[in-house]
Amino acid sequence: MSDEHFPLHDAASAPDAKPAFEQAEQTFGMVPNLIRKMASAPALAEAYLSLNTLLQQTSMSPTEQCTLLLTVSRYHDCDYCMAAHSMTGRMTGVPDGVVDALREDRPIDDPKLEALRQFTHAMIEQRGWVDEATQQAFLDAGYTHPQMLEVILAIGLKTLSNYTNHIAGTPVDEPMAGERWTAPGA
């Protein structure tokens, strides 16, 4: 889609999105292109930012949150979010080996993170109808039943952004250009 349908808004062109722009600036130190695109529907931008804040309040560590976000974005082949979460993951201390494995859709060496990746993938692929064995493998890795619900929160958050980026053609922001990623076969 062209910018005609989904422009990169600013506060002047999308005054109803001003609260989202302010929150994004406060959260990210800038207004990412994702929020500028979402500003065509200010409620979407606000929902995304709210869910992002809620994910940070879960029991998942920053590395586990990054694992969730990259797993969902990789499954959805979202170039923008793969770049964004690769960059922020590395900035927050997620080991390069974890980020690289997630970008390449290969197993993570850490068994607990790998269980999180597999469970998240199964949740998306099976639309939440995950069998008992898959649930038990997640629990056996050290996760809890409430954390299964936190995985759903992350999937919801990323679905909002991944789908927006797909239809809006969101360009990668300059700060994340070094982490560009292209879906296989694209």
Side-chain angles (χ1 to χ4, degrees), residues 96-107:
D96 287 341
V98 171
V99 173
D100 293 342
L102 291 162
R103 287 172 63 91
E104 297 164 15
D105 196 28
R106 60 180 169 76

Side-chain angles (χ1 to χ4, degrees), residues 4 39 51 62 67 100 121 125 127 129 136 159 169 172 176 183:
E4 172 188 339
L51 289 177
T67 300
D100 293 342
H121 192 271
E125 189 170 71
R127 298 176 306 189
W129 296 106
Q136 192 59 52
T159 300
V172 170
M176 39 179 110

Side-chain angles (χ1 to χ4, degrees), residues 107-161:
I108 302 169
D109 290 337
D110 180 306
K112 188 172 182 183
L113 290 178
E114 177 58 16
L116 177 60
R117 183 184 79 87
Q118 288 182 14
F119 181 76
T120 303
H121 192 271
M123 284 290 292
I124 302 164
E125 189 170 71
Q126 297 166 20
R127 298 176 306 189
W129 296 106
V130 179
D131 62 38
E132 289 292 325
T134 302
Q135 292 181 42
Q136 192 59 52
F138 183 73
L139 296 169
D140 290 346
Y143 291 103
T144 65
H145 286 96
Q147 286 175 316
M148 288 181 182
L149 301 177
E150 292 176 352
V151 169
I152 295 168
L153 172 61
I155 292 168
L157 170 68
K158 283 293 88 190
T159 300
L160 293 177
S161 60

